[in-house]
Amino acid sequence: MILQVIVDISTNDVDRAFDYEGEDMPIGSRVAVDFGNQRLIGFVIGKKEQSEYPNLKIAKYLDTPISSEQLELLYFMREAYHLRYIDALRLFVPAKLREERDPEFTRAFMRIDDERSIDELCAAVGKNAKKQLEALKYLASEGGQFLSVMTAKFGVSAIKGLRDKNVVIMSAVHERSAPMNTLSKSKKEVTLTPAQQNAVNKITNGNGVFLLHGVTGSGKTEIYERVIENMLAIGRTAIMLVPEISLTPQMLGLFRARFGDGVAILHSGLNASERYDEWKRLKDGEAKIAIGARSAIFAPLENLGTIIIDEEHDTSYQSESNPRYDTKSVAKFRAQLAGATLVLGSATPDMESYMSANKGDYSLISLPERISRHKLPEMEIVDMTQEFRSGNRSIFSKALTDAIGETLSRGEQAMLFLNRRGFASFIRCKECGYIAKCEDCDVSLTYHKQDNELKCHYCGRRYHALTKCPNCGSVEIKQGRIGTEKVVEELKAQFPDVRVLRMDNDTTTRRDSYFKILSAFGAHEADVLVGTQMIAKGHDFSNVTLVGILEADAALYFSDYRSSERTFQLITQVAGRAGRAEKQGRVILQTYAPKHYVFRFGRTYDYVGFWKKEINTRLVTKFPPYTKIVRVLLTSLDEQDVVDCTRNVYKSIQALEKEYGKFVYLGAAKSPVTRMNGLIRYQVLMRIEPDIFGAVMQKIYKTADSNRPKKGSIFVEVNPQSLI
């Protein structure tokens, strides 16, 4: 049998199937092959009777980790996102399956010889061997234990004595990892509201794509659980996606309480063993529900009944590093393949999703009210220009300061949101205007007071803090816009006894950091949680009655057509953290642009009103969803190299424009951040009408392939989340 094998090397030169001889095996099988002078893993994507090549090498069968449905998904992603075969295949298997050795690491396990009574075993050990007797009785009581644990507990000689006397039996055991197995598993009995029950019925008995538009606190999570429960009852499986790893523990706790060990977790924060074990439980059918961030969409589940994407508007569902893909599009294709329903849930849906619902492409289910007796928290908008004029130089308005004090005095909790980490976002010399920038990236450095360092938030490089200007020698160093670290310092200055936790990229570097911070805040070990957008999504704390939003307009004036949409989404999501239980919530939003329409609609949580205004603006200006933005991003160590390639790409796309009709926009220039990680960055940017997009895109991909810089890379991005 001739096998067509994709080898595990990610380069364009080998992005094709190679012929090998081997036994007949299913498509999707994993094999070990000799490739050149290397021993590699490969994946079988086809079979044939004959090959045009003589003297083929042999492929050794290992297992079949990839299903026929996943291979269909592979071809879809390869076509839609111009991915290499292996880059897509790697999404379907855990890292441990990319090597030939047995992925199930085993440990030596010891138990007593249960064919003899404990008295017989003790007699064989002898009454004078007290340490051995102690170890033997411990083994009997525990039902067995790993050799490493026994050796550490009782010593090498005692354990060797038991083995020499043949009173114990040794075996090799694979100990499966259980990520976050300490999560609470208390189950709550919930009676659905009529609106919730209606949503569950529609989704369970329907088909296609459902947009569940529910305000924060409207009970969307309970709907998700009931839908999955109904799917399990008829023998089907489910995938539940959340946008951030930080949300996964909370959702996992809820689902484990309801579904027990039938839940597996998949996300990038797991180590290799944990990810393999969770993948294997799903593959073997031991777990029927996969929960995780975007990579969980590739869970190896069969008979899929539903895919649920919570906070579907979130930008993290679009992968912006290789392999690039849009999770929602992948989920839609996978749901169609499996005959499953796709549920998109959000309080602030993506503009395109809501337009699809309005056109009837998706089924719209609205939940306009909270399930608690309290309505959405009242939002107070504070004009910070008035605060400044009245002499208030603090980052907190008087209204917010008073509200924090009142909240603390009642023993309640508050959350303060600022979407900028660090202490100050840049450092400037007041004498000559010098701004400290990263040597490898064309961006200003952020000052972190706790570490007394300047850090680049793009490449991670660190520098010593400045005491004087390296340009003119002046000691007049000014700090720029504030970050979360500065917020914590000022909060403690005004409220010395306050207990504060901070949640941003700097405080969540360890894999369990999210869980520890959120657990501590949930247990009321802190009064205030200060954070970036990590704290905006999905968290449910019953004692939080105040939310303060600092610099709410910070993202409004970015050169991004989605700046208003993202600002509306953020303030609505953050505001929704207040008053989620039996206590009324309050939101104080600080801005220098209080009359902006985003805040007018945001104050009353009027998503539909905001959407109508914003979608009309997009129509007039011809931005997505009425066009597709395509960016060809080129990078190189050599500026002339990247300039030449950019010029060639631009000329080729100009020729396409003549062939297919004028684009809405076409231009080539340096990227807004011209240098990152030492690479010079240029881009060709275009906006294309939907009717010619499909035909043009394949030719743009080919143009990119033939114009790769010698000392860099080239990527094509569709509707990229960031245009920096």
Side-chain angles (χ1 to χ4, degrees), residues 594-618:
K595 294 182 180 179
H596 195 286
Y597 70 88
V598 165
F599 304 124
R600 187 173 79 247
F601 290 114
R603 183 176 186 176
T604 55
Y605 305 95
D606 183 6
Y607 172 81
V608 175
F610 169 78
W611 180 84
K612 286 178 178 177
K613 178 171 178 55
E614 189 67 15
I615 204 71
N616 185 61
T617 302
R618 301 276 184 93

PDB file of all heavy atoms in Angstrom, residues 594-618:
ATOM      1  N   PRO A 594     -17.339  63.089  27.569  1.00  0.00           N
ATOM      2  CA  PRO A 594     -18.616  62.557  28.062  1.00  0.00           C
ATOM      3  C   PRO A 594     -19.756  62.616  27.052  1.00  0.00           C
ATOM      4  O   PRO A 594     -20.744  61.899  27.195  1.00  0.00           O
ATOM      5  CB  PRO A 594     -18.916  63.443  29.284  1.00  0.00           C
ATOM      6  CG  PRO A 594     -18.168  64.712  29.027  1.00  0.00           C
ATOM      7  CD  PRO A 594     -16.925  64.311  28.296  1.00  0.00           C
ATOM      8  N   LYS A 595     -19.635  63.451  26.006  1.00  0.00           N
ATOM      9  CA  LYS A 595     -20.729  63.598  25.044  1.00  0.00           C
ATOM     10  C   LYS A 595     -20.603  62.654  23.852  1.00  0.00           C
ATOM     11  O   LYS A 595     -21.444  62.681  22.948  1.00  0.00           O
ATOM     12  CB  LYS A 595     -20.809  65.051  24.564  1.00  0.00           C
ATOM     13  CG  LYS A 595     -21.196  66.019  25.682  1.00  0.00           C
ATOM     14  CD  LYS A 595     -21.327  67.439  25.173  1.00  0.00           C
ATOM     15  CE  LYS A 595     -21.723  68.378  26.307  1.00  0.00           C
ATOM     16  NZ  LYS A 595     -21.832  69.792  25.848  1.00  0.00           N
ATOM     17  N   HIS A 596     -19.555  61.839  23.838  1.00  0.00           N
ATOM     18  CA  HIS A 596     -19.374  60.909  22.723  1.00  0.00           C
ATOM     19  C   HIS A 596     -20.534  59.917  22.691  1.00  0.00           C
ATOM     20  O   HIS A 596     -21.014  59.443  23.725  1.00  0.00           O
ATOM     21  CB  HIS A 596     -18.053  60.157  22.872  1.00  0.00           C
ATOM     22  CG  HIS A 596     -17.606  59.465  21.621  1.00  0.00           C
ATOM     23  ND1 HIS A 596     -18.202  58.312  21.152  1.00  0.00           N
ATOM     24  CD2 HIS A 596     -16.627  59.776  20.731  1.00  0.00           C
ATOM     25  CE1 HIS A 596     -17.600  57.934  20.032  1.00  0.00           C
ATOM     26  NE2 HIS A 596     -16.645  58.796  19.751  1.00  0.00           N
ATOM     27  N   TYR A 597     -20.997  59.565  21.487  1.00  0.00           N
ATOM     28  CA  TYR A 597     -22.177  58.696  21.368  1.00  0.00           C
ATOM     29  C   TYR A 597     -21.972  57.316  21.992  1.00  0.00           C
ATOM     30  O   TYR A 597     -22.938  56.665  22.406  1.00  0.00           O
ATOM     31  CB  TYR A 597     -22.616  58.580  19.911  1.00  0.00           C
ATOM     32  CG  TYR A 597     -21.707  57.795  18.995  1.00  0.00           C
ATOM     33  CD1 TYR A 597     -21.841  56.413  18.852  1.00  0.00           C
ATOM     34  CD2 TYR A 597     -20.718  58.436  18.255  1.00  0.00           C
ATOM     35  CE1 TYR A 597     -21.012  55.691  18.007  1.00  0.00           C
ATOM     36  CE2 TYR A 597     -19.886  57.715  17.407  1.00  0.00           C
ATOM     37  CZ  TYR A 597     -20.034  56.350  17.294  1.00  0.00           C
ATOM     38  OH  TYR A 597     -19.216  55.634  16.459  1.00  0.00           O
ATOM     39  N   VAL A 598     -20.732  56.851  22.083  1.00  0.00           N
ATOM     40  CA  VAL A 598     -20.473  55.559  22.721  1.00  0.00           C
ATOM     41  C   VAL A 598     -20.977  55.568  24.162  1.00  0.00           C
ATOM     42  O   VAL A 598     -21.605  54.610  24.630  1.00  0.00           O
ATOM     43  CB  VAL A 598     -18.963  55.222  22.687  1.00  0.00           C
ATOM     44  CG1 VAL A 598     -18.645  54.084  23.657  1.00  0.00           C
ATOM     45  CG2 VAL A 598     -18.547  54.819  21.282  1.00  0.00           C
ATOM     46  N   PHE A 599     -20.722  56.670  24.868  1.00  0.00           N
ATOM     47  CA  PHE A 599     -21.137  56.741  26.273  1.00  0.00           C
ATOM     48  C   PHE A 599     -22.625  57.025  26.409  1.00  0.00           C
ATOM     49  O   PHE A 599     -23.261  56.617  27.379  1.00  0.00           O
ATOM     50  CB  PHE A 599     -20.310  57.806  27.010  1.00  0.00           C
ATOM     51  CG  PHE A 599     -18.830  57.558  26.910  1.00  0.00           C
ATOM     52  CD1 PHE A 599     -17.967  58.525  26.414  1.00  0.00           C
ATOM     53  CD2 PHE A 599     -18.298  56.324  27.271  1.00  0.00           C
ATOM     54  CE1 PHE A 599     -16.608  58.284  26.301  1.00  0.00           C
ATOM     55  CE2 PHE A 599     -16.943  56.073  27.161  1.00  0.00           C
ATOM     56  CZ  PHE A 599     -16.093  57.054  26.672  1.00  0.00           C
ATOM     57  N   ARG A 600     -23.186  57.720  25.418  1.00  0.00           N
ATOM     58  CA  ARG A 600     -24.633  57.964  25.438  1.00  0.00           C
ATOM     59  C   ARG A 600     -25.397  56.639  25.353  1.00  0.00           C
ATOM     60  O   ARG A 600     -26.337  56.409  26.109  1.00  0.00           O
ATOM     61  CB  ARG A 600     -25.023  58.895  24.284  1.00  0.00           C
ATOM     62  CG  ARG A 600     -26.479  59.329  24.325  1.00  0.00           C
ATOM     63  CD  ARG A 600     -26.803  60.366  23.281  1.00  0.00           C
ATOM     64  NE  ARG A 600     -26.994  59.787  21.948  1.00  0.00           N
ATOM     65  CZ  ARG A 600     -26.190  59.988  20.919  1.00  0.00           C
ATOM     66  NH1 ARG A 600     -25.119  60.743  21.060  1.00  0.00           N
ATOM     67  NH2 ARG A 600     -26.434  59.440  19.737  1.00  0.00           N
ATOM     68  N   PHE A 601     -24.969  55.777  24.455  1.00  0.00           N
ATOM     69  CA  PHE A 601     -25.611  54.465  24.347  1.00  0.00           C
ATOM     70  C   PHE A 601     -25.164  53.530  25.475  1.00  0.00           C
ATOM     71  O   PHE A 601     -25.949  52.726  25.967  1.00  0.00           O
ATOM     72  CB  PHE A 601     -25.295  53.831  22.987  1.00  0.00           C
ATOM     73  CG  PHE A 601     -25.962  54.508  21.827  1.00  0.00           C
ATOM     74  CD1 PHE A 601     -25.218  55.167  20.860  1.00  0.00           C
ATOM     75  CD2 PHE A 601     -27.344  54.486  21.699  1.00  0.00           C
ATOM     76  CE1 PHE A 601     -25.836  55.788  19.786  1.00  0.00           C
ATOM     77  CE2 PHE A 601     -27.976  55.103  20.626  1.00  0.00           C
ATOM     78  CZ  PHE A 601     -27.218  55.766  19.666  1.00  0.00           C
ATOM     79  N   GLY A 602     -23.892  53.641  25.858  1.00  0.00           N
ATOM     80  CA  GLY A 602     -23.363  52.768  26.900  1.00  0.00           C
ATOM     81  C   GLY A 602     -24.028  52.988  28.242  1.00  0.00           C
ATOM     82  O   GLY A 602     -24.224  52.036  29.007  1.00  0.00           O
ATOM     83  N   ARG A 603     -24.381  54.217  28.535  1.00  0.00           N
ATOM     84  CA  ARG A 603     -24.982  54.541  29.835  1.00  0.00           C
ATOM     85  C   ARG A 603     -26.275  53.772  30.071  1.00  0.00           C
ATOM     86  O   ARG A 603     -26.590  53.378  31.194  1.00  0.00           O
ATOM     87  CB  ARG A 603     -25.244  56.047  29.904  1.00  0.00           C
ATOM     88  CG  ARG A 603     -25.787  56.510  31.231  1.00  0.00           C
ATOM     89  CD  ARG A 603     -25.920  58.020  31.261  1.00  0.00           C
ATOM     90  NE  ARG A 603     -26.315  58.481  32.584  1.00  0.00           N
ATOM     91  CZ  ARG A 603     -26.428  59.753  32.919  1.00  0.00           C
ATOM     92  NH1 ARG A 603     -26.180  60.699  32.015  1.00  0.00           N
ATOM     93  NH2 ARG A 603     -26.787  60.096  34.137  1.00  0.00           N
ATOM     94  N   THR A 604     -27.018  53.528  28.999  1.00  0.00           N
ATOM     95  CA  THR A 604     -28.301  52.807  29.129  1.00  0.00           C
ATOM     96  C   THR A 604     -28.206  51.371  28.601  1.00  0.00           C
ATOM     97  O   THR A 604     -29.225  50.712  28.426  1.00  0.00           O
ATOM     98  CB  THR A 604     -29.412  53.563  28.364  1.00  0.00           C
ATOM     99  OG1 THR A 604     -28.998  53.739  27.008  1.00  0.00           O
ATOM    100  CG2 THR A 604     -29.678  54.917  29.007  1.00  0.00           C
ATOM    101  N   TYR A 605     -26.977  50.931  28.323  1.00  0.00           N
ATOM    102  CA  TYR A 605     -26.745  49.567  27.822  1.00  0.00           C
ATOM    103  C   TYR A 605     -27.541  49.299  26.542  1.00  0.00           C
ATOM    104  O   TYR A 605     -28.024  48.194  26.309  1.00  0.00           O
ATOM    105  CB  TYR A 605     -27.104  48.524  28.893  1.00  0.00           C
ATOM    106  CG  TYR A 605     -26.389  48.748  30.209  1.00  0.00           C
ATOM    107  CD1 TYR A 605     -26.997  49.465  31.236  1.00  0.00           C
ATOM    108  CD2 TYR A 605     -25.113  48.251  30.419  1.00  0.00           C
ATOM    109  CE1 TYR A 605     -26.342  49.682  32.443  1.00  0.00           C
ATOM    110  CE2 TYR A 605     -24.448  48.457  31.623  1.00  0.00           C
ATOM    111  CZ  TYR A 605     -25.062  49.178  32.629  1.00  0.00           C
ATOM    112  OH  TYR A 605     -24.409  49.395  33.824  1.00  0.00           O
ATOM    113  N   ASP A 606     -27.644  50.340  25.713  1.00  0.00           N
ATOM    114  CA  ASP A 606     -28.458  50.245  24.496  1.00  0.00           C
ATOM    115  C   ASP A 606     -27.600  49.730  23.346  1.00  0.00           C
ATOM    116  O   ASP A 606     -27.133  50.502  22.490  1.00  0.00           O
ATOM    117  CB  ASP A 606     -29.063  51.617  24.174  1.00  0.00           C
ATOM    118  CG  ASP A 606     -29.978  51.580  22.955  1.00  0.00           C
ATOM    119  OD1 ASP A 606     -30.234  50.474  22.427  1.00  0.00           O
ATOM    120  OD2 ASP A 606     -30.426  52.661  22.523  1.00  0.00           O
ATOM    121  N   TYR A 607     -27.409  48.427  23.284  1.00  0.00           N
ATOM    122  CA  TYR A 607     -26.587  47.850  22.226  1.00  0.00           C
ATOM    123  C   TYR A 607     -27.232  48.049  20.857  1.00  0.00           C
ATOM    124  O   TYR A 607     -26.552  48.402  19.879  1.00  0.00           O
ATOM    125  CB  TYR A 607     -26.350  46.350  22.461  1.00  0.00           C
ATOM    126  CG  TYR A 607     -25.671  45.695  21.278  1.00  0.00           C
ATOM    127  CD1 TYR A 607     -24.292  45.783  21.106  1.00  0.00           C
ATOM    128  CD2 TYR A 607     -26.417  45.035  20.293  1.00  0.00           C
ATOM    129  CE1 TYR A 607     -23.671  45.226  19.994  1.00  0.00           C
ATOM    130  CE2 TYR A 607     -25.806  44.476  19.183  1.00  0.00           C
ATOM    131  CZ  TYR A 607     -24.435  44.575  19.037  1.00  0.00           C
ATOM    132  OH  TYR A 607     -23.829  44.046  17.927  1.00  0.00           O
ATOM    133  N   VAL A 608     -28.529  47.834  20.772  1.00  0.00           N
ATOM    134  CA  VAL A 608     -29.208  47.921  19.475  1.00  0.00           C
ATOM    135  C   VAL A 608     -29.093  49.337  18.911  1.00  0.00           C
ATOM    136  O   VAL A 608     -28.815  49.523  17.719  1.00  0.00           O
ATOM    137  CB  VAL A 608     -30.683  47.495  19.595  1.00  0.00           C
ATOM    138  CG1 VAL A 608     -31.412  47.700  18.272  1.00  0.00           C
ATOM    139  CG2 VAL A 608     -30.777  46.039  20.040  1.00  0.00           C
ATOM    140  N   GLY A 609     -29.283  50.352  19.767  1.00  0.00           N
ATOM    141  CA  GLY A 609     -29.144  51.734  19.322  1.00  0.00           C
ATOM    142  C   GLY A 609     -27.726  52.022  18.848  1.00  0.00           C
ATOM    143  O   GLY A 609     -27.518  52.662  17.806  1.00  0.00           O
ATOM    144  N   PHE A 610     -26.743  51.531  19.605  1.00  0.00           N
ATOM    145  CA  PHE A 610     -25.343  51.717  19.214  1.00  0.00           C
ATOM    146  C   PHE A 610     -25.068  51.019  17.889  1.00  0.00           C
ATOM    147  O   PHE A 610     -24.436  51.582  17.001  1.00  0.00           O
ATOM    148  CB  PHE A 610     -24.408  51.174  20.297  1.00  0.00           C
ATOM    149  CG  PHE A 610     -22.977  51.096  19.857  1.00  0.00           C
ATOM    150  CD1 PHE A 610     -22.195  52.238  19.827  1.00  0.00           C
ATOM    151  CD2 PHE A 610     -22.420  49.900  19.423  1.00  0.00           C
ATOM    152  CE1 PHE A 610     -20.882  52.190  19.386  1.00  0.00           C
ATOM    153  CE2 PHE A 610     -21.114  49.836  18.981  1.00  0.00           C
ATOM    154  CZ  PHE A 610     -20.340  50.987  18.966  1.00  0.00           C
ATOM    155  N   TRP A 611     -25.567  49.780  17.761  1.00  0.00           N
ATOM    156  CA  TRP A 611     -25.308  48.998  16.547  1.00  0.00           C
ATOM    157  C   TRP A 611     -25.873  49.704  15.314  1.00  0.00           C
ATOM    158  O   TRP A 611     -25.208  49.778  14.275  1.00  0.00           O
ATOM    159  CB  TRP A 611     -25.922  47.599  16.685  1.00  0.00           C
ATOM    160  CG  TRP A 611     -25.687  46.739  15.480  1.00  0.00           C
ATOM    161  CD1 TRP A 611     -24.581  45.995  15.198  1.00  0.00           C
ATOM    162  CD2 TRP A 611     -26.578  46.561  14.374  1.00  0.00           C
ATOM    163  NE1 TRP A 611     -24.732  45.364  13.985  1.00  0.00           N
ATOM    164  CE2 TRP A 611     -25.943  45.687  13.459  1.00  0.00           C
ATOM    165  CE3 TRP A 611     -27.851  47.049  14.079  1.00  0.00           C
ATOM    166  CZ2 TRP A 611     -26.546  45.298  12.274  1.00  0.00           C
ATOM    167  CZ3 TRP A 611     -28.442  46.661  12.887  1.00  0.00           C
ATOM    168  CH2 TRP A 611     -27.793  45.797  12.006  1.00  0.00           C
ATOM    169  N   LYS A 612     -27.074  50.233  15.412  1.00  0.00           N
ATOM    170  CA  LYS A 612     -27.698  50.909  14.264  1.00  0.00           C
ATOM    171  C   LYS A 612     -26.873  52.112  13.806  1.00  0.00           C
ATOM    172  O   LYS A 612     -26.684  52.329  12.609  1.00  0.00           O
ATOM    173  CB  LYS A 612     -29.119  51.350  14.615  1.00  0.00           C
ATOM    174  CG  LYS A 612     -30.105  50.195  14.680  1.00  0.00           C
ATOM    175  CD  LYS A 612     -31.497  50.686  15.081  1.00  0.00           C
ATOM    176  CE  LYS A 612     -32.490  49.521  15.105  1.00  0.00           C
ATOM    177  NZ  LYS A 612     -33.828  49.952  15.571  1.00  0.00           N
ATOM    178  N   LYS A 613     -26.369  52.886  14.775  1.00  0.00           N
ATOM    179  CA  LYS A 613     -25.555  54.054  14.413  1.00  0.00           C
ATOM    180  C   LYS A 613     -24.219  53.614  13.808  1.00  0.00           C
ATOM    181  O   LYS A 613     -23.785  54.124  12.779  1.00  0.00           O
ATOM    182  CB  LYS A 613     -25.313  54.944  15.631  1.00  0.00           C
ATOM    183  CG  LYS A 613     -24.426  56.144  15.311  1.00  0.00           C
ATOM    184  CD  LYS A 613     -24.346  57.140  16.426  1.00  0.00           C
ATOM    185  CE  LYS A 613     -23.411  58.297  16.073  1.00  0.00           C
ATOM    186  NZ  LYS A 613     -23.760  58.983  14.812  1.00  0.00           N
ATOM    187  N   GLU A 614     -23.591  52.638  14.444  1.00  0.00           N
ATOM    188  CA  GLU A 614     -22.262  52.209  14.019  1.00  0.00           C
ATOM    189  C   GLU A 614     -22.299  51.492  12.670  1.00  0.00           C
ATOM    190  O   GLU A 614     -21.426  51.701  11.821  1.00  0.00           O
ATOM    191  CB  GLU A 614     -21.651  51.296  15.089  1.00  0.00           C
ATOM    192  CG  GLU A 614     -20.194  50.939  14.875  1.00  0.00           C
ATOM    193  CD  GLU A 614     -19.245  52.116  15.020  1.00  0.00           C
ATOM    194  OE1 GLU A 614     -19.653  53.166  15.570  1.00  0.00           O
ATOM    195  OE2 GLU A 614     -18.086  51.989  14.577  1.00  0.00           O
ATOM    196  N   ILE A 615     -23.317  50.655  12.457  1.00  0.00           N
ATOM    197  CA  ILE A 615     -23.378  49.898  11.198  1.00  0.00           C
ATOM    198  C   ILE A 615     -23.661  50.846  10.029  1.00  0.00           C
ATOM    199  O   ILE A 615     -23.184  50.619   8.901  1.00  0.00           O
ATOM    200  CB  ILE A 615     -24.451  48.778  11.271  1.00  0.00           C
ATOM    201  CG1 ILE A 615     -24.126  47.655  10.260  1.00  0.00           C
ATOM    202  CG2 ILE A 615     -25.843  49.314  11.034  1.00  0.00           C
ATOM    203  CD1 ILE A 615     -22.945  46.820  10.622  1.00  0.00           C
ATOM    204  N   ASN A 616     -24.371  51.925  10.296  1.00  0.00           N
ATOM    205  CA  ASN A 616     -24.616  52.932   9.254  1.00  0.00           C
ATOM    206  C   ASN A 616     -23.314  53.641   8.885  1.00  0.00           C
ATOM    207  O   ASN A 616     -23.049  53.893   7.701  1.00  0.00           O
ATOM    208  CB  ASN A 616     -25.652  53.949   9.735  1.00  0.00           C
ATOM    209  CG  ASN A 616     -26.019  54.936   8.638  1.00  0.00           C
ATOM    210  OD1 ASN A 616     -26.524  54.556   7.596  1.00  0.00           O
ATOM    211  ND2 ASN A 616     -25.732  56.214   8.880  1.00  0.00           N
ATOM    212  N   THR A 617     -22.486  53.927   9.896  1.00  0.00           N
ATOM    213  CA  THR A 617     -21.182  54.546   9.643  1.00  0.00           C
ATOM    214  C   THR A 617     -20.310  53.617   8.800  1.00  0.00           C
ATOM    215  O   THR A 617     -19.627  54.056   7.871  1.00  0.00           O
ATOM    216  CB  THR A 617     -20.471  54.858  10.971  1.00  0.00           C
ATOM    217  OG1 THR A 617     -21.303  55.713  11.758  1.00  0.00           O
ATOM    218  CG2 THR A 617     -19.130  55.533  10.737  1.00  0.00           C
ATOM    219  N   ARG A 618     -20.345  52.325   9.122  1.00  0.00           N
ATOM    220  CA  ARG A 618     -19.537  51.353   8.367  1.00  0.00           C
ATOM    221  C   ARG A 618     -20.014  51.278   6.906  1.00  0.00           C
ATOM    222  O   ARG A 618     -19.207  51.119   5.989  1.00  0.00           O
ATOM    223  CB  ARG A 618     -19.659  49.961   9.006  1.00  0.00           C
ATOM    224  CG  ARG A 618     -19.226  49.888  10.456  1.00  0.00           C
ATOM    225  CD  ARG A 618     -17.737  49.709  10.625  1.00  0.00           C
ATOM    226  NE  ARG A 618     -17.408  49.562  12.039  1.00  0.00           N
ATOM    227  CZ  ARG A 618     -17.304  48.393  12.665  1.00  0.00           C
ATOM    228  NH1 ARG A 618     -17.509  47.265  11.997  1.00  0.00           N
ATOM    229  NH2 ARG A 618     -16.988  48.357  13.938  1.00  0.00           N
TER     230      ARG A 618
END
